[in-house]
Structure formats: C-alpha cells, structure tokens
Amino acid sequence: MNNRILRISLTAALAGFLFGFDTVVISGANLPIKELWNLSPWFHGTFIMSMALWGTVLGSLFGGIPCDRFGRRKTLFWIGVLYFLSAMGSAVATDPYMFSFFRFIGGLGVGASSVAAPIYISEISTAQNRGKLGALYQFNIVFGIFIAFISNYLLKGFDGANDWRWMLGVEAIPALIYSVMVLQVPDSPRWLVINKKDEAGALKMLTYISDKAQAIVKLAEIKASIGVKTTKEGLFEGKYKKPLVLAFLIAFFNQLSGINFVLYYAPEILERAGLGGKESLFNSISIGIINLIFTLIGIQLIDRLGRKQLMKIGSLGYIASLSMVAWCFYTGASSTLLLIFICAFIASHAIGQGAVIWVFISEIFPNKVRAYGQSWGTGVHWVFAAVITLITPIFLDSTDGVFKDNPWPIFIFFAFMMVLQLFFVIFMMPETKGITLEDLERKFTKE
C-alpha cells in the first residue's frame, strides 16, 4: 500500500476518533447531569442525550454542501473547530440549555465528519485498498469510543460533582491536534476536477499518490465519468434510485440494530443488570475493547471477503446475541452472562455494519453527486439514531419507563429488525469490493 495514501487516509480518519469520543463520552455524564438539574425523562432525552444527535442530523444532511463548495479538506478542518468549541462549551455549561447548545455544535461536527471523511478517503484510495482505508474511519470511531470509556472511568471521582465537566472538556485536546494535522493533507483529485475544473492540480495530487502513468490514466477516467453535461444534476433523479435505496436501507438497519442505544446507555443498562456505579463504567470499557478488536478484524477482512459477506456474518451475530440479551433480562440470568452477550452483540456490529457502512455509502454514488449521496445515507443514519436516543428514556427510565421493570422487549424488537436486515443483505445488497468508483458508477446508474 502506498505510504502517502495511508498517511493521508489516517489523518482524515482521525475525524472518526473525535466522532466516537464525542458521541459516547455523554454516557459517563448521563446520570450525574440528570441528578444535577433534576430533569424529567422526556427533557433529559430531548435536551441532554439526543440534542447532539439532532446537530448530527443537520451536519450530515447539509455536510455535502461545504464538501462540494469548499472542498473535503477545508470541511474536515472546520469539523475539528466545531469539536473543540463543543468540548469547551459543554464543560463549562451552567444550565441544561447552554449545555444542549454546545452539544448541538459538537453534533454538527459529527454529522459533517460522517460525510466528509469517508468520501475523501474513498476518492484518494484505489479499488484494491479502498475498503481497508475507508474502514480506518470506523476504526477511529471505535478507538474514540474506547478512549471515551476509559477517560470516563479514570475521571470518575477526579473532581467530585464536577467529574462530568472534565469528562466532556478533555475532548478539546485531540480536537485541537486534529485541526492542525488536517491542514497538511491535500485536496481530493476528484473534487479538484469536478468542482474546481483544476485538472493540473488533480494531476499533481494523483502523481503524488501514484506514478505519473497511473495518474494520467486515472485523470482520464475521472473526466470521462463526468461526461459533457453542463447542467447541474440533482441527487434524486431517477437514475440514482438504486444507490439511494441501498444507502437508505443500510443506514436504517444500522440504527435499528440498537447499537447507539447500547453504546449511549451502556452504564445505565449494566446498572439495571446489577453492575452499578463505577463498576458499570469499568464494564463499559470491556465493550470498548471488544469493539476495537472486532473492528480490526473487520478492516482486515473487508477487502478479502467483501462487504456483503461481512454483513451476513454480522447479521447472524446480531440475531443470536440480541435474542440472548433479551433472554438474560427476561429470566434474570447472571449479570456476567448478560455482559458476555452484550459484548457478542458489539462484536457482531464491529465486524459487520461497523466496518461496512461508511465504506459502502461512499462507494455507491457517482462522482458528480457523491457528497450529496453521502449526506443522504448518513442523514438517514443519524435521523434514526436521534429518534432512538430521544425515546429511550421513555422506555428505559427506572422510575417512569414503559419497561422500567424489565427491558427485555426492547432487545427482542432489535433482534427482529436484524432478521429483516439479513434478508436485505441476501437479496438486495450488491458486492462492491475490488471495483473502481467509476466502474461502480456505471453499474449502479441508469441513464
């Protein structure tokens, strides 16, 4: 693998680290904030737990605009700035409304990140290593989640009632480092050709990451994929129906697996199973370790087995593990057994949906509409993530929740949805490994 491509991809993928850290760090602050401001389940779910996700929805839906107008690189830089502002503001918030505002700002960064980073990496990589490099973004998300769990655990008891402020504020450090690093990466050659009409700049970039002969051939392919049409095309034209449907379904099923439900509410779920207090934060770390290990396995396999095969493996793992988690809650099985099956669920996600989703969505849309297609897929993902996080307290709250006595029906519902995902993978999902972006465009686009 070209070392320059690897270095550039790793830098862009660090946006995923901030993504993972920012979205999960709230799990350690969840209960302290609820008690501090004496919030109702509805208010807590709306303004504390899901506000960042509504920012993420907007960031993902509109993230394609700056990606096309200003470029992938500049967009990635400003994402780092948003993370920095969010971390500092959330840490010093004096009321739930100020807190919600800065969490919303961080959410904008997360949403835009899930658009800009995957398409940038897909556009500078080759067909042979696109899956592995694209999955670096997911690895960094998982690594960020893992570090957030560890950070929350270490900061528990650090400053008493202000622990949660340190948990959230520490993110400002990696956000600042990332913002400086991303200024060193070049612009995407496809963006330079399509949006800036800068063929010389694109050729220079392509030559930087490959030899001159390959660069000339690749530039010709990019120009050919654009065609001669001068009118601006919309994403929702009929010829893009197939990638639109595929992006919607993979994003929809990603969230209906319950992955964000488990990650965001991990300490509370474990506490309900008898693993309370600081021990619940420590056991959350085990979830992070499993996530990290199986994401690495997924990265190694995605260009070998392919996207579709990993999704099959993950779907079967989802169904089995979620069913067993429901059984553990229903029968009152030991908390250790429950933790094992939750970890199995995390492993199933990491090797399947986790490794595949960002790569797959960034591959299936044509060059001309890739940024907006990525916005569509990630927007669907984050809308459902926000809805699930918003309504979770209504079902999970130990005092007023619908399933306050036993949350087993929630996991049965998620298991059923994963049966439907398995049907989607078997009968609808195409394989994209080893195919160039331009060839995928010809395969998925109907003129």
Side-chain angles (χ1 to χ4, degrees), residues 4-5 55 61 89 103 127 130 142 162 169 172 174-175 219 231 235 237 247 252 270 295 304 318 358 415:
R4 287 176 174 172
I5 295 179
L61 288 174
R103 287 295 293 164
R130 190 175 61 244
V142 170
N162 290 320
L219 179 61
T231 56
L235 175 64
E237 292 189 9
F252 169 79
L270 294 173
T295 297
R304 297 180 187 178
Y318 274 142
W358 308 115

Side-chain angles (χ1 to χ4, degrees), residues 365-391:
F365 287 98
N367 285 325
K368 286 176 284 189
V369 295
R370 179 165 297 114
Y372 296 105
Q374 187 78 13
S375 285
W376 162 254
T378 57
V380 170
H381 172 278
W382 290 115
V383 165
F384 282 102
V387 169
I388 289 171
T389 307
L390 171 67
I391 66 174

Side-chain angles (χ1 to χ4, degrees), residues 135-393:
L136 285 174
Y137 179 69
Q138 175 64 17
F139 170 78
N140 275 278
I141 293 174
V142 170
F143 188 52
I145 290 170
F146 176 59
I147 296 300
F149 280 139
I150 291 179
S151 176
N152 284 352
Y153 175 72
L154 294 176
L155 290 171
K156 182 72 172 178
F158 175 74
D159 192 19
N162 290 320
D163 287 350
W164 66 270
R165 297 185 184 276
W166 290 96
M167 291 176 183
L168 295 166
V170 73
E171 183 188 353
I173 299 171
L176 185 62
I177 294 171
Y178 163 77
S179 298
V180 174
M181 288 180 63
V182 82
L183 289 174
Q184 309 304 313
V185 303
D187 281 312
S188 157
R190 287 176 171 85
W191 178 77
L192 288 170
V193 173
I194 297 167
N195 296 89
K196 302 297 287 184
K197 313 301 181 194
D198 184 4
E199 295 182 15
L203 183 61
K204 181 179 179 181
M205 168 58 184
L206 289 166
T207 304
Y208 179 72
I209 60 177
S210 63
D211 62 49
K212 186 67 177 285
Q214 288 177 320
I216 292 172
V217 171
K218 179 53 64 179
L219 179 61
E221 289 179 359
I222 296 170
K223 290 167 61 180
S225 74
I226 302 171
V228 295
K229 284 184 71 174
T230 56
T231 56
K232 193 169 182 67
E233 294 187 356
L235 175 64
F236 295 100
E237 292 189 9
K239 63 181 179 178
Y240 301 137
K241 179 181 178 181
K242 186 170 184 178
L244 283 169
V245 171
L246 290 172
F248 177 90
L249 288 174
I250 196 169
F252 169 79
F253 283 121
N254 182 284
Q255 285 306 297
L256 269 295
S257 69
I259 183 62
N260 276 8
F261 166 77
V262 172
L263 290 178
Y264 291 7
Y265 292 92
E268 189 169 344
I269 292 170
L270 294 173
E271 199 167 295
R272 294 286 293 276
L275 298 168
K278 189 165 183 176
E279 188 180 12
S280 70
L281 288 175
F282 179 75
N283 284 295
S284 296
I285 295 174
S286 65
I287 292 175
I289 292 173
I290 293 297
N291 208 352
L292 198 63
I293 292 171
F294 280 86
T295 297
L296 284 170
I297 294 173
I299 290 173
Q300 291 301 314
L301 295 177
I302 192 168
D303 283 326
R304 297 180 187 178
L305 298 182
R307 289 60 158 154
K308 185 165 184 170
Q309 191 64 24
L310 289 187
M311 285 289 289
K312 286 180 183 177
I313 294 169
S315 297
L316 292 170
Y318 274 142
I319 295 166
S321 58
L322 285 167
S323 298
M324 293 309 298
V325 169
W327 176 83
C328 285
F329 272 114
Y330 183 74
T331 62
S334 74
S335 55
T336 301
L337 192 61
L338 175 67
L339 182 60
I340 289 171
F341 287 122
I342 288 178
C343 287
F345 163 74
I346 295 295
S348 301
H349 174 80
I351 203 169
Q353 271 273 11
V356 172
I357 181 171
W358 308 115
V359 174
F360 186 75
I361 295 175
S362 70
E363 294 175 322
I364 59 177
F365 287 98
N367 285 325
K368 286 176 284 189
V369 295
R370 179 165 297 114
Y372 296 105
Q374 187 78 13
S375 285
W376 162 254
T378 57
V380 170
H381 172 278
W382 290 115
V383 165
F384 282 102
V387 169
I388 289 171
T389 307
L390 171 67
I391 66 174
T392 290

